[in-house]
Amino acid sequence: MSDTPFGFGLPPEEPENGDEGKKKDQQGGGGQGPFGFGLPGAGGPGADNPLAAMFGSMNPNDLGAAFQQLGQMLSYEGGPVNWDMAKQIARQTVAQGTSDGTKDASVGPAERLAVEEAVRLADLWLDDATSLPSGAGSALAWSRAEWVEATLPVWKELVDPVAERVGAAMGDVLPEEMQAMAGPLIGMMRSMGGAMFGTQIGQAVGVLAGEVVGSSDIGLPLGPAGKAALLPLNIESFGKDLSVPQEEVRLYLALREAAHQRLFAHVPWLRSHLFGAVEGYARGIKVDTAKLEDVVGQFDPQNPEELQQALQQGMFQPEDTPEQKAALARLETALALVEGWVDAVVHSAAKPRLSSADALRETLRRRRATGGPAEQTFATLIGLQLRPRRLRDASRLWASLTDARGVDGRDGLWAHPDMLPTASDLDDPDGFVHREHLDFSELDKMLGEAASGTATEKPNLKKDDDSEDTDKGDGTE
């Protein structure tokens, strides 16, 4: 498992002025609490009065906002994540702008037209590079705030299973007899837990909105189906220091977005395959309850930083079981295959037409491999430290398949998950390329005929490479 996930990252945790900022925070009593909440520090003014330490330095407006947020936290009665708070925090983070001082802005008519034209041209070029038809019914140009709004439903689908599992494990810390007595307290803690998850997720998604260039940057379909979306402001920032014409940058990124749309639109099992792997991972999450009990038992209200540090030191751990490892391997391999296919197809379409194709390809590969400031976002949200770390291996395998079997033979492997390369096949791409594979379409046809009572003969399980000498040998069938 890689130590940096998907292609993105965390909100900055360090003060902008480095060690001096840390000292200032420590002297002033401020601290970053678990899940991104501020904690009153010990030793500062009002250390013997938690409310004074928390609210004493605020002006009346800030104090009112703080009490309003506290009320929202305690009154929440929804699922494991307070998504209203997540959305609010994400929008606030976007409004603050990125570290380079760029502020979000509404997309103008000229930018929308440029995106529509880029996606239209990208789809034409992809027709020669893949047998999968267009998957984008429309092209959209989003601001960062619009990206947040459009992708939150998918983040909910990804994060809720993990948050649910963590919340259940936290509740298991109390003995059953105490749980019955502490019902109101558990309810309040559940509300606060939903708010804490919501705050963390909102911060991460808000930072990510300042960097993504489309709806499919992390290899998952985050936006609405059939809608290819690009973020003009972020595309401009992405290409600013590349010495490549902005039109070429936009077109290359449109190719990637349109390729993702084709894959997810015409491989119906792929989305559930990826999301199912995330859910499988969630089922294996456990909380080190012994450690949690020890932390709670020794908690000193005068030193809340100790609780913060304890919570950050491996409290939530995956089960080291075959099922857990299989879920991780399945997701990691599937992401590598998705990104490798997109990389190979886009390069095939762009290379003859864009002089900067090689440079843009390498830039995006490095971005995915080493990560930008948002590299850790997915790990922050669900605890998975994954990225398609075998992107280059997967891309080479898809390119080799194109040479050996043609575009149709390569893309035909997406017909069934059992036909796709495995993690071991990425170690031996030549072996996979020249291996004989059954054509599942014949088997599916046979099953359909059997169900309707029209089956009359055995299926001809063809080989994918359709070589003429397949049946030669000892003469047996």
Side-chain angles (χ1 to χ4, degrees):
M1 195 164 65
S2 61
D3 53 5
T4 50
F6 287 3
F8 303 86
L10 283 169
E13 296 180 354
E14 299 294 333
E16 291 183 0
N17 50 348
D19 292 337
E20 290 301 317
K22 290 183 182 178
K23 293 176 184 177
K24 186 175 180 180
D25 280 347
Q26 292 165 0
Q27 293 167 358
Q32 186 73 10
F35 303 97
F37 279 91
L39 290 171
D48 56 344
N49 184 339
L51 288 178
M54 185 176 293
F55 301 123
S57 62
M58 293 183 178
N59 63 45
N61 291 334
D62 291 339
L63 186 61
F67 277 117
Q68 183 180 11
Q69 188 175 42
L70 182 62
Q72 291 174 351
M73 289 168 55
L74 297 180
S75 62
Y76 177 70
E77 297 180 351
V81 178
N82 187 331
W83 287 102
D84 290 337
M85 182 166 286
K87 178 179 175 180
Q88 177 185 343
I89 297 294
R91 293 292 299 261
Q92 290 173 354
T93 303
V94 165
Q96 291 170 2
T98 52
S99 58
D100 63 359
T102 304
K103 298 285 188 178
D104 193 23
S106 299
V107 179
E111 292 171 317
R112 294 189 187 280
L113 180 60
V115 166
E116 291 171 0
E117 288 297 313
V119 172
R120 181 190 61 78
L121 185 56
D123 252 339
L124 286 175
W125 290 2
L126 287 173
D127 285 340
D128 296 331
T130 174
S131 62
L132 299 180
S134 174
S138 60
L140 304 174
W142 284 342
S143 67
R144 294 166 180 172
E146 288 173 321
W147 182 90
V148 169
E149 295 277 354
T151 62
L152 271 179
V154 180
W155 289 120
K156 185 177 189 297
E157 189 176 348
L158 285 168
V159 175
D160 268 352
V162 181
E164 185 74 50
R165 181 69 191 95
V166 171
M170 295 281 283
D172 293 340
V173 173
L174 290 177
E176 289 186 17
E177 59 274 14
M178 290 187 65
Q179 290 184 23
M181 296 172 60
L185 177 61
I186 291 176
M188 183 180 71
M189 293 301 295
R190 192 169 289 136
S191 296
M192 293 189 68
M196 288 190 290
F197 271 117
T199 298
Q200 182 191 32
I201 291 164
Q203 289 173 339
V205 171
V207 170
L208 187 56
E211 298 174 10
V212 293
V213 295
S215 73
S216 55
D217 280 27
I218 67 171
L220 292 171
L222 294 179
K227 297 183 183 298
L230 296 175
L231 283 74
L233 181 61
N234 292 356
I235 290 175
E236 182 180 352
S237 298
F238 173 82
K240 184 169 55 177
D241 300 321
L242 295 182
S243 300
V244 175
Q246 188 72 15
E247 293 76 13
E248 290 199 19
V249 174
R250 185 191 303 114
L251 186 50
Y252 193 88
L253 296 176
L255 281 166
R256 290 183 53 82
E257 176 72 12
H260 278 104
Q261 292 293 331
R262 289 186 181 222
L263 192 58
F264 284 105
H266 300 291
V267 182
W269 55 264
L270 182 58
R271 188 182 193 277
S272 60
H273 179 76
L274 291 167
F275 283 59
V278 174
E279 206 166 332
Y281 169 85
R283 286 194 294 269
I285 288 179
K286 66 177 180 179
V287 174
D288 187 344
T289 55
K291 183 174 181 180
L292 183 59
E293 290 169 353
D294 183 60
V295 169
V296 172
Q298 299 181 18
F299 174 56
D300 179 3
Q302 297 296 323
N303 292 286
E305 291 83 0
E306 293 180 1
L307 178 61
Q308 174 193 355
Q309 294 170 2
L311 289 173
Q312 292 175 344
Q313 292 174 358
M315 187 73 71
F316 308 127
Q317 299 291 340
E319 293 272 13
D320 189 18
T321 64
E323 293 81 9
Q324 186 79 349
K325 291 178 180 178
L328 292 171
R330 191 164 80 249
L331 181 56
E332 184 175 53
T333 301
L335 284 170
L337 291 174
V338 167
E339 291 302 281
W341 183 88
V342 168
D343 180 75
V345 167
V346 168
H347 184 69
S348 174
K351 176 70 172 174
R353 300 175 172 97
L354 295 179
S355 59
S356 58
D358 288 333
L360 289 169
R361 182 190 203 188
E362 190 58 32
T363 298
L364 283 160
R365 281 182 167 185
R366 287 199 303 269
R367 186 179 190 239
R368 296 286 276 161
T370 61
E375 178 75 31
Q376 295 282 339
T377 293
F378 203 75
T380 302
L381 300 187
I382 67 170
L384 283 173
Q385 293 191 349
L386 291 175
R387 69 168 183 267
R389 58 191 174 97
R390 307 198 65 182
L391 168 61
R392 292 178 187 269
D393 294 335
S395 183
R396 280 194 294 268
L397 187 148
W398 289 118
S400 297
L401 282 167
T402 308
D403 293 339
R405 305 184 187 183
V407 168
D408 291 344
R410 177 201 66 199
D411 293 346
L413 293 180
W414 290 106
H416 195 283
D418 289 343
M419 297 175 67
L420 285 179
T422 63
S424 60
D425 292 325
L426 295 179
D427 296 326
D428 181 23
D430 289 337
F432 179 84
V433 168
H434 298 292
R435 191 184 310 152
E436 296 173 344
H437 297 275
L438 296 178
D439 183 351
F440 278 76
S441 63
E442 291 292 335
L443 183 58
D444 290 340
K445 180 180 178 182
M446 178 198 70
L447 293 175
E449 291 175 345
S452 61
T454 60
T456 57
E457 59 183 34
K458 294 181 181 180
N460 175 25
L461 296 179
K462 301 184 297 181
K463 309 298 184 181
D464 279 350
D465 58 358
D466 290 328
S467 54
E468 294 181 356
D469 60 347
T470 297
D471 295 327
K472 294 180 181 178
D474 59 4
T476 60
E477 294 183 353

